[in-house]
C-alpha cells in the first residue's frame, strides 16, 4: 500500500539546542489529521537527542546520508549501523546536493541503498533533473537512468521497501515549484519504470514523494494528484508551525 509521507530535510541547519527546541515544540503541538507518516531527516549530531524526545510519539527520524561501506578505516564517515543505533528508521540517499557537491553517482547510490536495506532502514532514493535537462527535453532520460542504475539488481521484495523522492533540481530551494501536473507526470513515469524493473505490479506498493519548494501554500494542490504520495521538504520544514501546516495539509 502506498503510504503518505511528510518528511522534513533540515540539511545543514540548526544547532543541537535549536533541534531540541523544535522537537519539544513539535511534540507539544503535534496533530496529524491525514494520518501520514511524519519524518524529520536531521543532521547526524542531533539525531540521538531528538530521538530521545520523540521516541514515544509517531514522529520518525531519518538521516540525510550514510556511507556505502559497513565499517572500518573511513575517517569522518557515518555507517548505516550507526544511524540505526541512534534511532533512525529512514535515510535519504542521493539527494541532489549529494549528487552535485559530492559527485555521488547512480552506481554508488545503488550500493548505499543495498546497505540501508540490509540494516532495515527505509531508503528514500532521490532523483530529479536539472533545469538544462528539462529545457532540452531530457527529463525522462535522466530519470530513467537514475531509476534503472540506482535500483539495479534489486528483487521485487527489496523494491517494495524503497521510497522514491522526485525532486527537480531547479525547484530545490529556489521558490520555483513544479506544477502539480509537471510533478504528477514524472511520478507516473517513475511508477511505470518501477513496474518494468520488477516485472510485476509493485507500483501500488511504492510511495513517491515530491520535493522542491513545497510550502503550506502549495502542498494541498500537489497532494491532490494521483501519483503524489507525499512531500520531502527543506526550507519550510525548519519551523514548527510551518511543518505542522504541511503535515495537516
Ligand atoms: C530538499 O531539501 O530536499 C528540498 C526539496 O528543499 P526545499 O523544500 O527547500 O526546496
Amino acid at each position: 500500500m502506498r503510504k503518505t509521507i511528510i518528511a522534513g530535510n533540515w540539511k545543514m541547519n540548526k544547532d543541537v539546542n535549536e533541534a531540541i527546541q523544535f522537537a519539544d515544540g513539535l511534540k507539544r503541538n503535534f496533530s496529524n489529521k491525514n494520518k501520514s507518516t511524519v519524518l524529520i531527516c536531521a543532521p547526524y549530531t542531533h539525531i540521538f537527542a531528538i530521538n530521545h524526545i520523540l521516541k514515544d510519539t509517531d514522529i520518525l527520524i531519518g538521516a540525510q546520508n550514510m556511507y556505502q561501506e559497513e565499517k572500518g578505516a573511513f575517517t569522518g564517515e557515518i555507517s548505516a549501523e550507526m544511524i540505526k543505533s541512534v534511532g533512525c528508521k529512514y535515510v535519504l540517499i542521493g539527494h541532489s546536493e549529494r549528487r552535485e557537491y559530492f559527485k555521488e553517482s547512480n552506481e554508488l547510490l545503488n550500493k548505499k541503498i543495498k546497505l540501508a536495506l540490509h540494516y532495515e532502514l527505509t531508503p528514500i532514493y532521490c532523483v530529479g533533473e536539472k533545469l538544462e535537462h528539462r529545457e532540452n527535453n531530457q527529463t525522462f532520460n535522466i530519470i530513467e537512468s537514475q531509476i534503472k542504475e540506482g535500483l539495479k539488481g534489486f528483487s521485487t521484495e527489496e523494491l517494495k521497501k524503497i521510497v522514491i523522492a522526485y525532486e527537480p533540481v531547479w525547484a530545490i530551494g529556489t521558490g520555483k515549484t513544479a506544477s502539480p501536473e509537471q510533478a504528477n507526470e514524472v511520478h507516473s513515469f517513475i511508477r511505470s519504470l518501477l513496474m518494468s524493473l520488477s516485472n510485476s505490479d509493485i507500483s501500488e506498493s511504492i510511495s513517491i514523494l515530491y520535493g522542491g519548494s513545497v510550502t503550506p501554500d502549495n502542498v494541498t494542490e500537489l497532494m491532490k494528484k494521483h501519483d503524489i504520495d507525499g512531500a520531502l521538504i527543506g526550507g519550510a520544514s525548519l519551523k514548527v508551525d510551518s511543518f505542522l501546516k504541511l503535515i495537516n495539509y
Side-chain angles (χ1 to χ4, degrees):
M1 250 252 303
R2 285 154 60 175
K3 270 195 221 164
T4 303
I5 302 174
I6 302 292
N9 172 19
W10 286 354
K11 312 195 188 196
M12 199 173 74
N13 291 298
K14 299 188 186 296
D15 65 22
V16 75
N17 293 319
E18 291 165 336
I20 288 170
Q21 256 180 25
F22 182 108
D24 278 333
L26 185 62
K27 184 175 173 173
R28 248 182 290 117
N29 297 294
F30 192 63
S31 62
N32 184 5
K33 78 167 196 238
N34 307 307
K35 307 260 178 286
S36 305
T37 297
V38 175
L39 172 68
I40 299 168
C41 297
Y44 294 133
T45 45
H46 307 353
I47 293 169
F48 186 80
I50 64 171
N51 184 52
H52 185 69
I53 297 165
L54 299 175
K55 67 178 179 319
D56 54 354
T57 72
D58 290 334
I59 306 157
L60 303 176
I61 316 286
Q64 299 171 15
N65 182 33
M66 50 169 261
Y67 197 57
Q68 65 271 18
E69 301 293 339
E70 287 200 68
K71 57 172 64 170
F74 302 104
T75 302
E77 291 300 336
I78 301 285
S79 71
E81 191 175 26
M82 290 172 188
I83 59 175
K84 173 127 184 167
S85 71
V86 286
C88 286
K89 299 277 188 281
Y90 283 73
V91 56
L92 298 181
I93 302 283
H95 189 280
S96 69
E97 288 148 20
R98 305 276 335 155
R99 291 179 184 267
E100 178 74 11
Y101 306 137
F102 302 95
K103 306 292 167 226
E104 296 194 356
S105 64
N106 294 330
E107 198 185 0
L108 175 90
L109 300 171
N110 180 274
K111 268 185 103 169
K112 291 193 183 197
I113 296 169
K114 187 121 214 139
L115 203 51
L117 290 174
H118 178 73
Y119 281 94
E120 293 176 345
L121 291 157
T122 300
I124 302 182
Y125 178 49
C126 305
V127 298
E129 81 287 359
K130 295 183 185 172
L131 186 58
E132 74 235 41
H133 299 136
R134 184 157 278 270
E135 287 176 345
N136 295 323
N137 292 324
Q138 287 181 315
T139 299
F140 293 101
N141 297 341
I142 292 293
I143 300 293
E144 183 165 355
S145 52
Q146 290 172 336
I147 292 286
K148 286 193 171 161
E149 292 167 25
L151 302 182
K152 192 172 167 187
F154 291 114
S155 67
T156 296
E157 279 320 298
E158 286 174 316
L159 288 171
K160 282 184 182 170
K161 294 180 181 152
I162 296 168
V163 172
I164 308 287
Y166 168 57
E167 299 206 300
V169 180
W170 50 270
I172 298 180
T174 58
K176 281 190 218 151
T177 324
S179 68
E181 291 71 31
Q182 280 175 321
N184 196 63
E185 185 185 28
V186 178
H187 283 225
S188 102
F189 177 66
I190 293 172
R191 234 178 260 294
S192 62
L193 284 174
L194 293 169
M195 296 241 281
S196 71
L197 275 185
S198 84
N199 265 327
S200 65
D201 191 5
I202 57 162
S203 67
E204 289 303 312
S205 314
I206 299 184
S207 298
I208 307 178
L209 319 184
Y210 169 77
S213 298
V214 177
T215 65
D217 292 333
N218 59 28
V219 66
T220 309
E221 289 308 306
L222 286 159
M223 291 302 294
K224 278 184 191 160
K225 288 290 174 193
H226 178 262
D227 283 301
I228 301 182
D229 303 314
L232 177 56
I233 305 137
S237 73
L238 290 169
K239 295 229 162 72
V240 172
D241 57 345
S242 161
F243 193 47
L244 275 169
K245 282 185 192 149
L246 287 157
I247 295 165
N248 292 290
Y249 63 88

